[in-house]
Amino acid sequence: TVAPVDITTMDRDLMRQEVAWRGKEKPGSIVVNVPERRLYLVQGGGRALRYGVGVGRAEGMNFHGSAVIGRKEKWPRWTPTSNMMAAMPRYRPYAGGVSGGPDNPLGPRALYLYRDGRDTFFRLHGTTEPETIGQAVSSGCIRLFNQDIIDLYNRVPIGTRVTVVQR
């Protein structure tokens, strides 16, 4: 069970909604627009599902370019990277990892971004901090409301193309 987000306290523009789409990406692909702090799941007929996201706190921390979803996990295990632990020593006690569950920072689902068959260590995932959606706060991964990552997880297969733009 995933606790619901109290939408009365959230910016309505961050809620999942269908919007017009004018990009050249094919239906079924994902586009993350970092400056907008929005993720788009491209649909047919010039439409997309738009999700609010939290992104990396500094431009250099954000993934950019293209990748594919190489793996999907329900209740994923989280292990901070060595870069995360160096930048934020509070993560060092978690070097051995944190099992999946409601207190795990990745939330209930994670989509793992791969490039050239290799894990990039960037993820699309849920969050235990829904108030961070729409902000630049993460260590580089793309955070979604837990309900939204579950929705996206259910809609996209492994192999889905993901493009992250910094424009």
Side-chain angles (χ1 to χ4, degrees):
T1 303
V2 176
V5 173
D6 180 1
I7 63 170
T8 64
T9 64
M10 298 294 164
D11 179 347
R12 297 293 235 176
D13 196 47
L14 295 172
M15 300 294 126
R16 177 180 357 129
Q17 57 190 286
E18 187 175 309
V19 297
W21 180 256
R22 291 177 181 70
K24 61 182 183 241
E25 294 78 11
K26 293 181 181 181
S29 60
I30 294 171
V31 176
V32 179
N33 186 309
V34 171
E36 283 183 12
R37 301 194 179 101
R38 300 294 185 274
L39 179 151
Y40 298 87
L41 175 58
V42 179
Q43 309 287 288
R47 306 296 292 169
L49 286 178
R50 184 180 72 193
Y51 303 79
V53 298
V55 299
R57 72 181 65 77
E59 184 174 327
M61 296 178 82
N62 288 310
F63 179 88
H64 62 279
S66 61
V68 297
I69 295 172
R71 192 170 113 211
K72 296 170 52 170
E73 294 291 334
K74 290 183 179 181
W75 295 109
R77 181 173 183 77
W78 174 69
T79 304
T81 65
S82 55
N83 288 344
M84 288 172 67
M85 289 185 283
M88 292 168 281
R90 72 176 187 263
Y91 290 146
R92 288 184 187 146
Y94 305 105
V98 176
S99 296
D103 296 325
N104 183 304
L106 295 183
R109 303 290 184 274
L111 304 172
Y112 295 70
L113 300 184
Y114 278 60
R115 186 182 279 160
D116 300 323
R118 293 187 173 160
D119 188 352
T120 64
F121 297 99
F122 286 93
R123 319 298 183 220
L124 307 177
H125 63 80
T127 183
T128 55
E129 302 171 319
E131 68 279 2
T132 65
I133 301 303
Q135 308 287 322
V137 295
S138 78
S139 294
C141 290
I142 307 297
R143 300 177 178 187
L144 291 87
F145 289 121
N146 286 336
Q147 289 79 0
D148 286 348
I149 192 60
I150 291 170
D151 180 77
L152 187 63
Y153 179 99
N154 290 334
R155 290 178 186 272
V156 299
I158 289 175
T160 296
R161 183 171 178 79
V162 178
T163 304
V164 180
V165 295
Q166 301 278 343
R167 55 183 152 113

